[in-house]
Amino acid sequence: MLSVLSYGRLVARAVLGGLSQTDGRDYSLISASYGFGKDFRKGILKKGMCYGDDACFIARHRTADVLGVADGVGGWRDYGVDPSQFSATLMRTCERLVKEGRFTPSNPVGILTTGYYELLQNKVPLLGSSTACIVVLDRRSHQLHTCNLGDSGFLVVRGGEVVHRSDEQQHYFNTPFQLSIAPPGAEGVVLSDSPEAADSSSFDVQLGDIILTASDGLFDNMPDYMILQELKKLKTTNYDSILQTAQSIAKQAHDLAYDPNYMSPFAQFACDNGLNVRGGKPDDITVLLSIVAEYTD
């Protein structure tokens, strides 16, 4: 099951691989999503844009296009808490803030902070933890503004090479930075980071740049060179091609996650930390794939 999102009459008039030019045109993103929940081998999409405990959104405002991915911490299930509720609510809240125009494109941390504190103030109790990554394209300035808390993240590809990528944030092996809401009295026990601790970056993008935003289920199972091989299949800038490529990437990561003989990036990282691990990492996988295009109203 897949999520289909297309926004208006967006026309990509650039050659894939990027063009270096300065002009007064507005840019926008053509984006599609695909994913799998680890408990659903056929890729069942839960209510909203959620794959297992992962959640995501793609939102458009007159000033910017905004993407978000969050990965609910599965350990809460041991305490009778559905981990997907926290990540899904966080992403829905951030999406609403964008659609209402309650954000500054150059400050994605502000979106995450406001969304998180709305959850803290919610009258309906919500428990859980989540990583989060938010990517904002400022339509007029042609700048991409990002924030990443934890081990979800993004890649920007130009001319077949990774030109920008997020930095993973880990407290220690397999324990990423995360936003949390703990039960009363357990605030000091549950690991919780401030949204302001998110790693932030801003940089210019070009027409034809490819932006891949994903949960750790992708990056733990596919190294960059494999992702780049799949992105080479993206021969056109139309939406259907983007969706097909996002699906291909997610499916390959999903297959590798269940291969016991594959030395995955996660297994390599585990070995680097003194653990004898081999194979893929079964996990929820969320892929948001976007191309920077010229915007036409």
Side-chain angles (χ1 to χ4, degrees):
M1 185 70 178
L2 53 86
S3 174
V4 178
L5 287 166
S6 183
Y7 295 106
R9 293 177 297 148
L10 298 174
V11 181
R13 297 175 181 171
V15 177
L16 277 176
L19 294 176
S20 179
Q21 62 183 50
T22 301
D23 59 52
R25 294 175 292 178
D26 285 355
Y27 289 0
S28 193
L29 298 177
I30 304 174
S31 301
S33 74
Y34 202 95
F36 294 90
K38 65 182 175 183
D39 297 325
F40 303 98
R41 291 296 188 91
K42 295 183 180 180
I44 297 175
L45 178 67
K46 296 172 68 175
K47 183 179 180 181
M49 289 186 66
C50 300
Y51 302 97
D53 298 334
D54 287 356
C56 62
F57 75 90
I58 303 173
R60 183 186 181 199
H61 187 261
R62 61 180 177 79
T63 61
D65 291 329
V66 185
L67 314 172
V69 174
D71 179 3
V73 176
W76 284 93
R77 192 169 281 108
D78 296 337
Y79 301 92
V81 175
D82 180 355
S84 70
Q85 292 299 311
F86 186 93
S87 56
T89 304
L90 178 63
M91 291 293 94
R92 285 197 304 267
T93 303
C94 291
E95 179 182 15
R96 175 176 52 78
L97 292 171
V98 171
K99 290 182 175 179
E100 292 174 353
R102 295 170 54 194
F103 74 105
T104 301
S106 61
N107 184 26
V109 173
I111 301 173
L112 186 60
T113 300
T114 302
Y116 174 58
Y117 284 112
E118 280 201 16
L119 265 59
L120 288 174
Q121 297 167 6
N122 199 327
K123 295 180 180 179
V124 179
L126 177 69
L127 302 178
S129 304
S130 175
T131 66
C133 179
I134 293 181
V135 174
V136 182
L137 172 65
D138 188 314
R139 192 167 293 141
R140 180 153 297 180
S141 72
H142 307 166
Q143 281 200 317
L144 202 70
H145 304 282
T146 74
C147 74
N148 185 59
L149 185 82
D151 56 6
S152 294
F154 68 89
L155 300 176
V156 179
V157 177
R158 181 182 303 152
E161 297 182 353
V162 176
V163 294
H164 298 283
R165 69 169 302 138
S166 56
D167 290 326
E168 186 175 291
Q169 293 179 311
Q170 295 266 6
H171 287 286
Y172 42 88
F173 174 68
N174 207 28
T175 305
F177 282 33
Q178 55 202 261
L179 303 176
S180 300
I181 298 180
E187 289 83 356
V189 178
V190 174
L191 180 64
S192 183
D193 297 285
S194 166
E196 287 87 356
D199 182 71
S200 300
S201 63
S202 296
F203 45 85
D204 293 334
V205 292
Q206 300 176 9
L207 291 173
D209 281 357
I210 300 171
I211 302 167
L212 185 148
T213 310
S215 62
D216 68 320
L218 173 66
F219 300 118
D220 281 344
N221 286 297
M222 286 184 72
D224 286 1
Y225 80 89
M226 284 189 183
I227 294 173
L228 291 174
Q229 287 176 348
E230 290 298 310
L231 291 176
K232 288 179 181 178
K233 300 175 182 178
L234 187 55
K235 300 300 184 182
T236 68
T237 58
N238 67 65
Y239 172 78
D240 289 340
S241 180
I242 297 169
L243 177 59
Q244 185 177 9
T245 305
Q247 179 179 352
S248 177
I249 292 171
K251 284 186 173 180
Q252 182 170 344
H254 181 262
D255 291 342
L256 291 171
Y258 292 91
D259 183 346
N261 298 312
Y262 168 60
M263 180 56 75
S264 64
F266 178 81
Q268 184 61 59
F269 188 29
C271 291
D272 292 343
N273 281 269
L275 301 174
N276 185 18
V277 175
R278 190 173 181 84
K281 179 193 175 189
D283 202 353
D284 306 316
I285 297 169
T286 296
V287 174
L288 297 180
L289 187 60
S290 308
I291 291 183
V292 179
E294 181 185 347
Y295 172 75
T296 58
D297 193 7

